[in-house]
Amino acid sequence: MNKVTMFSTYEKLSKYVANIVEEQLKENRISRFILPTGSTPLGLYKELVNRELDWSAVMTYNLDVYIMNPSHSQSYQTFMKENLFDKINIYPSNCKFPDRNVQSYEQRLKGIPVDLCILGIGTNGHIAFNEPGSSFKSRTRVVDLTEQTLQDNSKYFDSVEDVPKQAITMGLRTIMESKKIELMANGVNKLNILNVAMNGEVTESVPASILQNHDNVEVFYCD
Ligand code: GLP
């Protein structure tokens, strides 16, 4: 597969991306990161916690949130607190999540370009919650989740009916304005869509395919 670095284990992939984050932090302690949720970045976050880096001047921006109570056990705010923010020396006020005031989120991101954006990918090619058909010009906004995404994410809830039907996501244009992008994919169920996104046509039907137009993107995979 073109343009994709393959790893033999999930641990190796997680450590490799942690090295990239660490290098960025050491180069500039006031770095700005865009961060993902989902199962894929769990190993990365564990690795970063173990490294005891200095996060005291870092700003983070999460890619997306479900429209639900932020203190719910399955909210992305809770996920980030439990897996990263509560375990590192970052200021909670420096950890930003999209909310209904989408203009203000965009303004924050536009102020100074984000140094590093870390992404996962959905089985339908979504990045953040930009589902197939999202405009390449899209910015932070409220979106409806597709049936495929509801099904995929139902593993974190008691049933598919419990998965929130709407989310607030950064747009594809917003993501593309990052200086550097790292996409992580883990599991054979991501192999086909990764191939289509990275080697196929650049099309709004496959949101991740927009990354082919970014000049500083790396893609990592392990099965
Ligand atoms: C969710 C998130 C995405 C994430 C994707 C993959 O829908 N909104 O940002 O990349 O799922 O998740 P996982 O890593 O659990 O496969």
Side-chain angles (χ1 to χ4, degrees), residues 35-42 63-66 76 79 118-124 126-131 145 149-150 152-153 155-156 167 169 183-186 189-190:
L35 297 178
T37 49
S39 55
T40 308
L42 281 171
L63 283 165
D64 48 15
V65 291
Y66 288 118
Y76 284 171
F79 174 98
I118 300 167
L119 295 175
I121 184 170
T123 56
N124 62 2
H126 75 226
I127 47 176
F129 270 135
N130 292 285
E131 298 282 32
L145 302 180
T149 297
L150 296 176
D152 288 350
N153 292 1
K155 59 184 178 227
Y156 302 110
T169 184
L183 173 71
M184 305 168 75
N186 175 37
N189 61 330
K190 301 286 175 70

